[in-house]
Amino acid sequence: MTKWYDNAIIYQVYPRSFQDSDNDGLGDLRGLINRLDYIKSLGVNTIWLNPVLTSPQVDNGYDVSNYYTIDPKFGDMATMTELIEKAHQLGLHVLMDFVLNHTSDQHPWFQDALKSPNSLFRDYYIWQKTDNGLPPNNWGSFFGGSVWQEHPTEPGAYYFHLFDKHMPDLNWRNPEVREAMIEVAKFWVEKGIDGLRLDAFIHIAKGNLRQNYPTDSTQPVVAEPMFANLPNVVTYLQEFINELRKINSDLFILGEGASADPKLAALYTRKTNGRALCDAIVSFRNLPKKKKTATSLSTTLQLPQPEVLDVASLPVSIVEWQTTLAQTTQPTLYFSNHDLPRMATAYGDPQYPAESLKTLATMLYLQKGIPIIYYGEELGLKSAELTRFSAFQDQTVTDLEQQVPEGQKQAVLKALSQVHKTAARQAMSWDQSSNNGFSTHEPWLRVAPASTTVAQQDQDANSILNYYRALLKLKQSSLFSKGEFYLLNSSMKTIMFTRKFHGQVGLVVTNLSDQERTVTLPNFSLGQPVLTTGEWQQKAEELRLQPWSSVVFINSSVQ
Ligand code: GLC
Ligand code: MG
């Protein structure tokens, strides 16, 4: 049965950075409402909203302290309802980020759990006791240090946190927790949202908490096998999702399976008794990447290494994802999000800044799958260059500052800005007015005047923005949303594929390099190109593509 989300084209909005309406330097829901027409103009049909629920904002809203209220920084329930209604009027679906693995330590459940071992909410969280002054095991948190934090006044009692210590993990073994989270999600489904992006769901089941992870290190280690993708994840998830589908059978469940490979993604979208678990999975392994060679400075300071696209491995990766998911769902297609450097920074070719981004987008988004476009990507927005260590809002970066010699601080800040997630979360670039039209107040994350804006690119027929609009128009057609996908014998640097739907054939040819490349076109009547970027020449079956050029052909008119 077809569902609306089979053709979803998603635009990801980081609310605090999109548009500020009350000039407090923080984007908000009213600001987003004011920009819905812009979002619609891109040709997307779905918005994914990063967290907007009440939160102390230790992790920008991924630490929820009240699941039933909107954080006053972003607006209120009436504005949220208005947003959902206005989006729907424009034909835009709304997905909410749903944080189910942990709460904020300010959540009343946790506050109560802290009060006494006999609290009714104690077992909502994961506790272990030790009497040797050490944490229960050597597992490391994603945010650094141990996953265990000792109770402030009960020596030897530890609670578990996979992310920040202010974000205690919920105990999904406890049926009351499972019920409570279903209740919360139901509340939002009843409010009329169209889907949930399930945050970090692959971690809701944990392994034996007294089992150390084998390592030579004396430091805690991020021990994924102990807390990721364990079998109970599927059990818990199925119960959760089935309950929600009882209220809305069209609810779209987009699961964040950060470390999922294609087979795991298929497992999480497997149809069980006619119902899928998740409908699609976002994985950080969606594109093959390789590390850039590290500079001696970044090696000394152990900075994260920038990653580039591993173009040589791309054909195999594309075929694996497409093939493995063909029976259950379709891949999600994306370059960037709020946890990754921006696409233009990570993958753009500085010699061909616009062409490279247009061609990369053509290569990815016309494949079979659900595009997810990170706000600002459609302008070629780069990650911001942050000029202070504290601006990264990350303790490990703040701690680093003392180790960096004065003369090298600029270089380190620059290197960090290329890789760090916070630099990818800067304010949207609307126009040349103050703070790029984002706010009259200094934004929460200070940014330089933009070299490019929506206002400028709107006027320019060759802009990245207008190219994205043309590309997404094609993507909306049945051919590019529903059509079967075949990767053709692509060379290392040219990715070429066809899409087929009811006798219609689309051919996409892309040159992912800074060299001229010639490809032999497959033998069918191609018709006129419907979308091109860069320079190219065709002689019979030979198509010569200049650096970072691409051509899309269709053998009959698009429906
Ligand atoms: C997800 C989010 C990330 C957040 C984490 C904890 O990975 O994308 O931003 O920090 O979950 O909720
Ligand atoms: Mg505001």
Side-chain angles (χ1 to χ4, degrees):
M1 205 172 35
T2 56
K3 294 283 190 188
W4 69 265
Y5 46 78
D6 294 338
N7 307 330
I9 304 178
I10 303 176
Y11 188 69
Q12 181 189 349
V13 172
Y14 203 62
R16 61 170 46 220
S17 301
F18 199 57
Q19 177 71 73
D20 184 13
S21 73
D22 56 358
N23 292 315
D24 62 351
L26 212 63
D28 42 54
L29 294 178
R30 173 67 52 205
L32 172 55
I33 291 175
N34 294 342
R35 294 297 186 179
L36 284 176
D37 286 333
Y38 168 75
I39 296 178
K40 178 73 185 173
S41 84
L42 300 173
V44 304
N45 54 24
T46 307
I47 299 172
W48 154 26
L49 200 56
N50 285 99
V52 290
L53 303 184
T54 301
S55 157
Q57 307 287 333
V58 167
D59 188 21
N60 291 353
Y62 285 97
D63 48 322
V64 180
S65 57
N66 187 339
Y67 284 95
Y68 296 101
T69 50
I70 299 292
D71 195 302
K73 292 184 183 65
F74 297 125
D76 55 18
M77 195 57 89
T79 323
M80 184 67 187
T81 310
E82 188 183 329
L83 169 67
I84 297 171
E85 279 170 13
K86 292 215 161 128
H88 286 173
Q89 281 160 16
L90 288 170
L92 296 168
H93 294 96
V94 180
L95 309 182
M96 261 179 90
D97 228 310
F98 193 73
V99 189
L100 73 175
N101 176 68
H102 44 265
T103 68
S104 158
D105 63 355
Q106 299 306 309
H107 193 288
W109 297 337
F110 191 71
Q111 285 299 309
D112 200 274
L114 279 180
K115 280 189 196 146
S116 134
N118 301 322
S119 155
L120 289 177
F121 293 96
R122 187 76 161 198
D123 200 34
Y124 269 46
Y125 296 89
I126 301 169
W127 295 89
Q128 288 284 300
K129 250 188 125 64
T130 71
D131 48 20
N132 58 2
L134 295 172
N137 64 36
N138 67 346
W139 307 353
S141 148
F142 287 125
F143 284 12
S146 168
V147 297
W148 296 102
Q149 178 69 24
E150 199 169 13
H151 189 289
T153 56
E154 286 175 36
Y158 292 82
Y159 69 85
F160 185 105
H161 63 91
L162 209 43
F163 296 90
D164 192 273
K165 65 171 188 275
H166 298 293
M167 297 153 75
D169 282 45
L170 284 163
N171 176 17
W172 275 72
R173 290 177 64 167
N174 180 350
E176 280 182 42
V177 166
R178 304 206 292 272
E179 253 169 60
M181 294 316 279
I182 290 170
E183 281 314 304
V184 174
K186 275 186 179 167
F187 172 83
W188 286 104
V189 177
E190 276 159 5
K191 276 251 170 275
I193 57 147
D194 305 288
L196 302 174
R197 180 253 187 201
L198 292 188
D199 181 64
F201 78 90
I202 60 172
H203 303 298
I204 56 180
K206 320 290 194 248
N208 182 344
L209 301 173
R210 290 305 177 123
Q211 172 65 62
N212 271 326
Y213 193 66
T215 173
D216 291 335
S217 168
T218 52
Q219 296 301 310
V221 282
V222 175
E224 284 240 358
M226 314 309 285
F227 49 65
N229 302 308
L230 290 167
N232 269 342
V233 171
V234 171
T235 319
Y236 301 149
L237 201 63
Q238 210 162 359
E239 180 189 27
F240 177 81
I241 294 175
N242 283 344
E243 286 304 313
L244 300 181
R245 292 232 170 86
K246 284 182 191 160
I247 319 178
N248 176 357
S249 57
D250 281 345
L251 192 72
F252 177 42
I253 304 285
L254 176 63
E256 187 213 16
S259 55
D261 60 11
K263 289 204 171 63
L264 268 175
L267 172 76
Y268 289 133
T269 48
R270 186 189 56 197
K271 295 229 178 346
T272 322
N273 306 327
R275 280 178 198 278
L277 290 162
C278 296
D279 299 299
I281 293 292
V282 179
S283 161
F284 281 29
R285 300 195 179 164
N286 65 329
L287 292 172
K289 296 169 199 170
K290 57 181 185 195
K291 299 223 183 293
K292 262 193 196 165
T293 359
T295 61
S296 60
L297 177 66
S298 60
T299 311
T300 322
L301 295 170
Q302 296 186 320
L303 301 183
Q305 263 168 278
E307 291 184 321
V308 291
L309 212 55
D310 180 3
V311 177
S313 305
L314 202 50
V316 168
S317 160
I318 293 173
V319 164
E320 273 184 3
W321 278 101
Q322 292 287 344
T323 307
T324 314
L325 296 189
Q327 303 293 313
T328 56
T329 176
Q330 44 182 343
T332 49
L333 309 170
Y334 75 97
F335 289 102
S336 179
N337 62 34
H338 64 292
D339 292 326
L340 294 170
R342 282 190 168 270
M343 172 189 180
T345 301
Y347 310 127
D349 181 336
Q351 257 193 298
Y352 300 90
E355 292 313 317
S356 57
L357 298 177
K358 290 178 186 175
T359 282
L360 283 166
T362 310
M363 179 279 294
L364 194 64
Y365 297 145
L366 291 184
Q367 289 177 33
K368 190 169 172 61
I370 299 176
I372 309 178
I373 294 157
Y374 186 47
Y375 78 100
E377 171 190 322
E378 72 278 17
L379 305 174
L381 210 64
K382 288 190 169 165
S383 292
E385 283 197 9
L386 303 184
T387 51
R388 284 172 296 130
F389 285 80
S390 60
F392 290 91
Q393 303 187 345
D394 173 341
Q395 198 52 45
T396 53
V397 174
T398 311
D399 295 346
L400 191 71
E401 181 162 13
Q402 295 116 36
Q403 299 171 38
V404 184
E406 203 49 52
Q408 294 186 321
K409 288 202 165 139
Q410 289 310 319
V412 170
L413 285 166
K414 210 176 155 129
L416 278 169
S417 297
Q418 302 268 311
V419 290
H420 199 278
K421 61 186 181 185
T422 303
R425 299 173 175 179
Q426 83 275 38
M428 179 64 172
S429 191
W430 295 107
D431 56 42
Q432 302 287 352
S433 65
S434 73
N435 301 308
N436 308 327
F438 167 71
S439 177
T440 55
H441 189 285
E442 181 171 315
W444 70 278
L445 190 67
R446 193 194 298 183
V447 284
S451 54
T452 183
T453 64
V454 170
Q456 283 167 350
Q457 293 204 22
D458 243 339
Q459 306 302 317
D460 174 2
N462 286 322
S463 66
I464 301 177
L465 175 60
N466 282 320
Y467 187 83
Y468 262 65
R469 287 177 170 142
L471 179 67
L472 296 183
K473 192 153 199 287
L474 275 185
K475 180 67 187 181
Q476 290 165 12
S477 66
S478 303
L479 176 61
F480 285 107
S481 60
K482 296 192 175 63
E484 283 172 54
F485 174 90
Y486 300 92
L487 188 75
L488 300 181
N489 208 357
S490 298
S491 82
M492 303 283 262
K493 300 283 166 107
T494 48
I495 298 288
M496 174 156 70
F497 56 87
T498 53
R499 302 293 308 270
K500 293 188 181 167
F501 186 73
H502 291 309
Q504 227 186 0
V505 182
L507 172 69
V508 179
V509 193
T510 58
N511 177 2
L512 303 185
S513 78
D514 56 6
Q515 310 287 312
E516 177 187 299
R517 308 265 163 187
T518 301
V519 298
T520 306
L521 297 172
N523 194 10
F524 59 78
S525 64
L526 288 167
Q528 283 304 305
V530 287
L531 184 70
T532 70
T533 182
E535 300 289 316
W536 54 280
Q537 299 87 34
Q538 190 186 350
K539 256 200 207 146
E541 291 182 0
E542 296 255 288
L543 183 70
R544 191 188 300 168
L545 295 162
Q546 295 308 312
W548 289 108
S549 295
S550 48
V551 187
V552 181
F553 298 95
I554 292 179
N555 75 338
S556 65
S557 63
V558 192
Q559 281 155 13

